[in-house]
Amino acid sequence: MKIICKKTDLAKAVQTVSKAVPAKATTSILECLLLRAEKEEITLTGNNLELGIETVMPGNIEEEGSIAIQAKVFGEIVRKLPEGDVVLETGEKDQATVRCKKTKYNLSVKSAEEYTCIPDMERKNHVTISEFDLKEAIRQTIFSVAYKERSITLFQKYYEDYHMEYDVALKEAIRDSAKKFLDAEKAELVEEKGRNSKG
């Protein structure tokens, strides 16, 4: 495998998928990122069996392939690289080289076959919204989740791709649920305050 990409693009992709990689795991493969270069796409994946994040990164593929890289070590290497084009290439078995300008790192990798990939999801009913709208929807509802120890699910999000597009299931239902919940809570507080004032 051999790919060439910008350091900024690689750093952003690694930072994104690393959020799904546990610091300590029962098996070492779960502490890795999966990097695939195939079908004209460079894909990075992080998966802890409960949360999985996948992102597509821009770059050039000179030779297709896939490897699993220890997330913490790889992340530190990428952060230390100078700005410019990064060349990631696999050589002998379980070995890879990362080069950028005069900087070069050799690191151990694992077979991609050991990695647990994110299962494919059939998406029938969904809408696509901008990053700004998603953040706004979360901002308006997140504070009410599990309010007063009530486990209430108000939204569900799916990471779409490198350009930060998201799918939000039933966007209008989310907003309606949030408003109804908050109105009910406000009414309950007003009623409680009225009882206390009378007492």
Side-chain angles (χ1 to χ4, degrees):
M1 183 185 76
K2 183 178 181 179
I3 63 171
I4 302 174
C5 59
K6 296 293 184 183
K7 185 254 183 167
T8 51
D9 294 333
L10 181 59
K12 186 174 183 179
V14 170
Q15 182 182 21
T16 297
V17 299
S18 292
K19 296 173 183 176
V21 179
K24 293 183 179 180
T26 53
T27 58
S28 59
I29 194 66
L30 291 178
E31 298 176 4
C32 294
L33 303 177
L34 177 65
L35 194 154
R36 292 176 294 167
E38 53 190 29
K39 299 180 181 178
E40 300 182 354
E41 283 188 344
I42 302 174
T43 305
L44 272 77
T45 304
N47 185 17
N48 63 14
L49 303 183
E50 293 183 0
L51 170 67
I53 301 177
E54 185 173 280
T55 183
V56 176
M57 179 183 70
N60 297 322
I61 300 174
E62 295 197 0
E63 184 180 346
E64 292 189 346
S66 56
I67 53 175
I69 310 176
Q70 215 282 339
K72 184 177 180 181
V73 173
F74 188 55
E76 291 175 353
I77 288 175
V78 172
R79 283 193 294 270
K80 293 177 181 179
L81 292 174
E83 296 298 327
D85 290 337
V86 178
V87 179
L88 193 155
E89 184 176 12
T90 55
E92 298 179 359
K93 185 179 180 181
D94 299 333
Q95 291 293 317
T97 301
V98 179
R99 292 183 284 112
C100 184
K101 295 183 178 179
K102 296 181 180 181
T103 304
K104 179 180 177 180
Y105 291 94
N106 294 317
L107 65 157
S108 298
V109 297
K110 294 180 180 292
S111 171
E113 296 179 357
E114 300 179 38
Y115 199 85
T116 304
C117 296
I118 300 174
D120 292 332
M121 298 179 61
E122 184 179 359
R123 302 176 183 180
K124 292 183 178 180
N125 302 315
H126 72 273
V127 293
T128 301
I129 66 173
S130 68
E131 176 189 3
F132 174 81
D133 289 339
L134 176 66
K135 287 183 176 180
E136 187 64 15
I138 294 174
R139 186 188 68 80
Q140 293 182 17
T141 59
I142 192 65
F143 60 88
S144 63
V145 176
Y147 183 69
K148 289 187 177 180
E149 299 182 354
R150 298 174 186 178
S151 179
I152 300 176
T153 303
L154 298 180
F155 62 87
Q156 186 176 23
K157 63 180 180 179
Y158 300 96
Y159 190 83
E160 183 67 21
D161 64 13
Y162 180 77
H163 299 289
M164 302 298 284
E165 291 181 1
Y166 292 83
D167 290 337
V168 176
L170 304 176
K171 177 182 175 183
E172 295 302 323
I174 291 170
R175 292 182 174 177
D176 291 342
S177 297
K179 290 179 180 179
K180 289 178 181 179
F181 176 76
L182 293 176
D183 289 342
E185 291 297 317
K186 288 179 181 178
E188 182 180 337
L189 290 173
V190 170
E191 184 179 349
E192 183 178 349
K193 184 177 181 181
R195 288 197 300 267
N196 292 337
S197 63
K198 289 179 181 180

